[in-house]
Amino acid sequence: DAQGRLQVLEVNPKPDLRAPNPSGASLLALGAAHQGMSYDDMILSLVVDFLHRVLSSPPPIHRSLWRAVGRCV
């Protein structure tokens, strides 16, 4: 917001993001595997993409994020 506070409206992970298991795999995991990417690498790429977007944002946004994360750790 205007005061630099992080506002979270909703947390919605990508649908069907479960890890492969004996009964099947998510479409995202299958697609990643088809491209030669492991499930762990796919999850890591999502985290890195998010961090890149946040850190490329104006400074008040990422300062608020780090404060919020610090309270959770």
Side-chain angles (χ1 to χ4, degrees):
D1 64 13
Q3 288 76 39
R5 293 180 303 225
L6 177 66
Q7 302 290 320
V8 178
L9 300 177
E10 177 181 359
V11 176
N12 186 8
K14 300 219 179 280
D16 197 23
L17 195 57
R18 68 183 183 277
N21 61 50
S23 65
S26 71
L27 292 177
L28 289 172
L30 290 174
H34 183 72
Q35 296 298 315
M37 182 181 283
S38 71
Y39 179 80
D40 289 344
D41 287 342
M42 179 185 69
I43 297 300
L44 182 58
S45 73
L46 293 171
V47 171
V48 169
D49 181 57
F50 167 76
L51 289 174
H52 179 269
R53 282 185 282 125
V54 167
L55 295 175
S56 298
S57 300
I61 293 173
H62 62 77
R63 278 198 299 266
S64 296
L65 175 66
W66 293 130
R67 279 195 303 271
V69 169
R71 286 191 295 266
C72 296
V73 177

